[in-house]
Amino acid sequence: MSDGALISIVALIGWLILAGSAVASFRLGWSKILQLALVWFAIFAGLFVIADFFGATLPN
């Protein structure tokens, strides 16, 4: 594993901790957190399907 990959993993874990603490600060119940997670998943999945439908690709 290269140094760049290790730094990326550590940064990703840091961002996940930051996002998790932000969600925890709202003191929502588990059902509300699951509901919000499913809504965000549906949004991103829908955008992915729309982009795939129109043939969108990332530039090289």
Side-chain angles (χ1 to χ4, degrees), residues 4-58:
L6 184 61
I7 291 171
S8 294
I9 291 171
V10 170
L12 179 62
I13 291 170
W15 281 113
L16 287 173
I17 290 171
L18 184 66
S21 63
V23 170
S25 72
F26 286 104
R27 298 187 187 273
L28 301 172
W30 284 105
S31 62
K32 185 67 173 178
I33 291 174
L34 181 61
Q35 180 185 7
L36 290 172
L38 289 174
V39 167
W40 277 109
F41 177 77
I43 290 170
F44 282 106
L47 289 173
F48 177 79
V49 168
I50 290 169
D52 189 46
F53 179 74
F54 286 110
T57 59
L58 294 174

